[in-house]
């Protein structure tokens, strides 16, 4: 994965989402440890997932797929920054996908046009605790690659499949033989 330090270009990209980008940049210049609330829908959308499942999604994106754009944590959730329009399209894709109907994919909150999210501070001043907001993959360019709804769906399905394999192999009976049938053709 990439760095968790926001670059000046990454800060400029984040600030461009707001109504007054120069004011946001001035605030960050004065207080780089301050989180900021930014609107979604024009520069980015955000898909919010429970922390563990979201981390599995990001792992799939980096290990098996194209990687991701910025990723942050906030109040026990993982915030995956996605292409504008993802928040509108992803829920219908999830309803269509088998894993979305079975509950294998936990509720993903989609923030798009009309919504806003709290983005972490540019600089972390203290060691992170579980409730803190922080960057896992910080913005580092003026035009980061952002996954669209199909890519986020792909990551969610792969993460759900990985969770099923994990739950199959950790049985209560340690002497039982366990077979991973998910790899059957």
């Amino acid at each position: 994965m990439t760095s968790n330090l926001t670059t000046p270009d990454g800060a400029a990209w984040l600030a461009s989402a707001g109504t007054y980008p120069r004011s946001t940049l001035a605030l960050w210049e004065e207080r780089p440890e301050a989180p900021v609330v930014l609107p979604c829908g024009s520069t980015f959308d955000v898909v919010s997932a429970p922390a563990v499942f979201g981390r599995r999604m990001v792992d799939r994106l980096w290990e098996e797929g194209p990687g991701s754009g910025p990723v942050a944590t906030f109040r026990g959730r993982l915030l995956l920054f996605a292409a504008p329009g993802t928040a509108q399209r992803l829920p219908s894709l999830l309803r269509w996908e088998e894993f979305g109907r079975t509950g294998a994919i936990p509720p993903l909150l989609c923030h798009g046009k009309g919504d806003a999210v709290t983005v972490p501070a540019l600089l972390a001043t203290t060691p992170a605790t579980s409730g803190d907001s922080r960057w896992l993959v910080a913005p580092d360019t003026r035009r980061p690659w952002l996954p669209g709804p199909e890519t986020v769906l792909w990551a969610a399905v792969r993460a759900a499949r990985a969770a099923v394999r994990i739950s199959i192999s950790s049985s209560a009976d340690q002497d039982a033989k366990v077979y991973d049938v998910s790899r059957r053709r």
Side-chain angles (χ1 to χ4, degrees):
M1 282 192 230
T2 61
S3 169
N4 61 356
L5 298 174
T6 306
T7 65
D9 281 347
W13 172 75
L14 277 173
S16 73
T19 307
Y20 304 103
R22 287 186 297 188
S23 297
T24 302
L25 286 171
L27 169 69
W28 274 331
E29 211 171 284
E30 186 176 310
R31 296 189 51 223
E33 74 287 349
V36 173
V37 176
L38 291 174
C40 299
S42 61
T43 304
F44 55 78
D45 281 1
V46 172
V47 176
S48 173
V52 172
F53 187 81
R55 187 58 191 238
R56 285 186 189 132
M57 286 176 58
V58 171
D59 287 347
R60 298 290 74 78
L61 285 167
W62 282 98
E63 292 170 8
E64 302 171 17
S68 73
V71 178
T73 61
F74 183 72
R75 294 186 178 169
R77 296 196 61 92
L78 187 126
L79 306 177
L80 176 65
F81 286 68
T86 299
Q88 180 181 1
R89 179 116 168 83
L90 184 60
S92 61
L93 291 174
L94 286 166
R95 280 190 299 276
W96 176 79
E97 177 59 45
E98 175 185 339
F99 280 93
R101 292 191 306 266
T102 63
I105 297 176
L108 302 178
L109 306 176
C110 298
H111 304 285
K113 195 165 189 77
D115 298 324
V117 294
T118 300
V119 300
L122 299 182
L123 298 176
T125 56
T126 58
T129 61
S130 62
D132 283 343
S133 149
R134 65 185 178 95
W135 292 106
L136 296 178
V137 180
D140 59 359
T141 68
R142 286 188 187 269
R143 290 186 178 85
W145 178 80
L146 299 173
E150 293 84 4
T151 303
V152 175
L153 174 68
W154 173 89
V157 168
R158 294 282 193 300
R161 287 180 181 157
V164 168
R165 273 197 291 269
I166 289 168
S167 67
I168 288 173
S169 64
S170 60
S171 73
D173 183 0
Q174 297 301 321
D175 295 327
K177 292 191 185 236
V178 178
Y179 299 97
D180 183 355
V181 296
S182 64
R183 294 181 182 251
R184 241 192 264 170
R185 291 185 182 214

